[in-house]
Amino acid sequence: MIYKTQSNQKIYVLGAGAVGCYFGGMLARAHHDVTFVARPERAAALNAYGLELDCKTFHETVKVRASSNLSVLSDADLVLLSVKSLDTERTMADVKSILPSKAVILSVQNGIANIDIASKIVANPVYAAVVYVAAGMVGHRTMKHHGRGELLIGDMKESTLGDDQNLKEICKLFEVVDVPCAISPQIKREMWLKFLVNCSFNAISGIGQITYGDMVKSPDTVKLIEEIVKEFVTIAALEEVNITISEALAINDAIATTMATQVSSTAQDLAKNKMTEIDFLNGYIIELGKQYGIATPYNESVYALVKMMESQVR
């Protein structure tokens, strides 16, 4: 089934966190038919008061539709999958019998395992998106934008003609609502480059409840990031993704500059007394290290501290 960019298409944001609300909000702002699938409290707030987009270049409230009932997905054309990585398997199992065959799924999640998890559960096309946006939720209806907001999309498997057309249509959809979007022929590598940023920043930001910009003001923290990076690129090479140390450090330097006021999603989760995605970030590197017989002590150290903090989640 080829997805078509049409004015009457049904778009669903499955998981209305900061990332889902940013990209879904940009589409809703341009009067696309967008429904946010969220927990009952957030769905109620969005329906009653709208989605407040507090962005770098504008600040406005957009009237939106939201639901906490997964059955609304029965007429979906495009689903922006933005649930936490630890919820991917359960969520996809829950919607498997609801999603129509025409529906196309775009994962805008952290980590690199989600595409494989989702694809093993549903028959619908599942495409990868590398997301570079600094954003956070304030309460249930305000999305605070701290910087950037672009997408790189692609197919983790060998693309067919239908896949290529789907990706072009998705790109067109976002480009006309001022969201830069491009198709990457090397989406696996791009996913790992973003994964690098997650592993470098998320845990430390969470442990210290500190912004990216403030993190890199500490020479000791910069040294810790460098050691995490060295372990990361060693594991990446074994996964047939070649990233040089200098390239990795340059990418991290750019993030600390372009997203200086951002605190990580891990930090936001811990501040809200929620479980994090750490098992799918540094925890994933640790697991791969065990498989390959490679020591990952620096990733293990930040992972252990986040897990300690998670143990206090009630």
Side-chain angles (χ1 to χ4, degrees), residues 141-244:
R141 54 172 293 269
T142 301
M143 189 288 306
K144 174 65 176 176
H145 178 221
H146 295 276
R148 299 183 67 169
E150 67 267 28
L151 294 170
L152 276 176
I153 66 174
D155 194 353
M156 293 288 277
K157 66 181 189 317
E158 187 174 343
S159 297
T160 65
L161 183 61
D163 292 315
D164 292 340
Q165 184 61 32
N166 284 341
L167 292 169
K168 289 177 182 176
E169 296 293 345
I170 292 170
C171 261
K172 186 190 304 181
L173 172 73
F174 282 108
E175 287 170 348
V176 297
V177 301
D178 296 326
V179 173
C181 185
I183 300 170
S184 172
Q186 294 182 302
I187 195 64
K188 180 181 178 180
R189 187 171 194 275
E190 296 291 351
M191 292 282 285
W192 272 83
L193 290 173
K194 172 63 189 302
F195 189 40
L196 161 73
V197 171
N198 290 145
C199 289
S200 300
F201 286 86
N202 277 41
I204 297 172
S205 175
I207 295 161
Q209 289 294 308
I210 191 171
T211 67
Y212 296 168
D214 286 338
M215 275 172 56
V216 298
K217 292 177 182 177
S218 164
D220 290 330
T221 303
V222 170
K223 177 63 176 175
L224 174 57
I225 292 171
E226 289 176 355
E227 296 299 332
I228 289 171
V229 165
K230 289 176 184 176
E231 294 175 0
F232 182 97
V233 299
T234 299
I235 298 297
L238 294 169
E239 287 287 296
E240 300 182 344
V241 180
N242 293 310
I243 304 169
T244 66

Side-chain angles (χ1 to χ4, degrees), residues 57-70:
T57 57
F58 67 88
H59 189 169
E60 64 185 73
T61 297
V62 179
K63 185 177 180 180
V64 298
R65 182 169 54 253
S67 176
S68 58
N69 191 337
L70 293 175

